[in-house]
Amino acid sequence: RIVLGGLDEPAVVQIVADVVEAVPEPDLVALAADAGGNPFMLTELLGALFDEGAVEVVDGHARLVSERVPQRVQEIVRGRLNRLSARARHLLQVAAVLGRSFSVDDLAAMLGEPADRLRPGLEEAEAAGALVTGTDTLMFRHHLIWRTVTETIAVPVRQTLHREAGELLLKR
């Protein structure tokens, strides 16, 4: 059995340069890094950026015209997330407000539930590849998942959740 890790930064930069046929500017490299080294997400991201006219090549250099996550990439991520239970999706949305990485204790406090009741939904999200385990936190596998989950939350709800998260952190 061979376990493949994500692409390293030089490989990501090389793929971006090959796809755009130009030297990628730092903004484009930074967005490409949001794919977390996942070759599928990286190539989909680059293709979608071109399809949506979000990359401009001038004098052999490629730069972003828009930093928005392309619609096609959002649809891929949402498609994966829609396979999760409603409970797991809800946990991910509240967790996303806490940041790309978060503690289970903070998530439990936000939801007003004991941490052990969150375990099944979090394990489901981890098994689906949306979350990975850090040293003492959970984190979204890559930035594109986190950004897409965040964008699935209606703005007024997201603002309220951000306020609640801020109050939680201030109390601590």
Side-chain angles (χ1 to χ4, degrees):
R1 180 178 182 143
I2 298 173
V3 177
L4 300 177
L7 299 170
D8 61 14
E9 184 179 345
V12 169
V13 172
Q14 185 61 53
I15 289 171
V16 173
D18 289 348
V19 170
V20 301
E21 298 178 343
V23 176
E25 293 293 321
D27 60 347
L28 181 55
V29 172
L31 183 58
D34 287 351
N38 180 313
F40 171 74
M41 288 303 294
L42 177 60
T43 56
E44 285 297 317
L45 173 65
L46 294 170
L49 287 169
F50 268 106
D51 291 349
E52 294 183 17
V55 175
E56 176 181 70
V57 177
V58 177
D59 297 327
H61 290 267
R63 70 175 188 87
L64 286 176
V65 176
S66 168
E67 292 187 27
R68 191 176 158 274
V69 175
Q71 188 65 34
R72 183 166 81 207
V73 173
Q74 289 183 31
E75 289 170 7
I76 290 168
V77 173
R78 279 192 200 116
R80 290 180 178 179
L81 295 175
N82 285 339
R83 295 182 200 140
L84 298 174
S85 67
R87 172 70 172 166
R89 286 193 311 272
H90 176 70
L91 292 175
L92 288 175
Q93 287 178 319
V94 176
V97 172
L98 293 168
R100 177 146 181 237
S101 67
F102 59 93
S103 78
V104 176
D105 289 338
D106 287 346
L107 181 59
M110 284 285 294
L111 294 166
E113 296 182 34
D116 68 316
R117 289 201 22 217
L118 308 181
R119 189 183 49 76
L122 292 173
E123 287 176 351
E124 179 185 353
E126 190 173 359
L131 296 176
V132 293
T133 303
T135 306
D136 57 355
T137 62
L138 291 174
M139 67 185 304
F140 287 86
R141 179 167 296 279
H142 51 75
H143 200 76
L144 292 175
I145 292 175
W146 174 68
R147 283 182 61 183
T148 301
V149 169
T150 301
E151 291 174 11
T152 65
I153 307 167
V155 173
V157 174
R158 188 169 56 222
Q159 290 171 339
T160 299
L161 289 172
H162 275 294
R163 182 180 40 73
E164 289 176 1
E167 290 171 359
L168 171 78
L169 296 174
L170 285 173
K171 283 180 187 176
R172 193 168 1 117

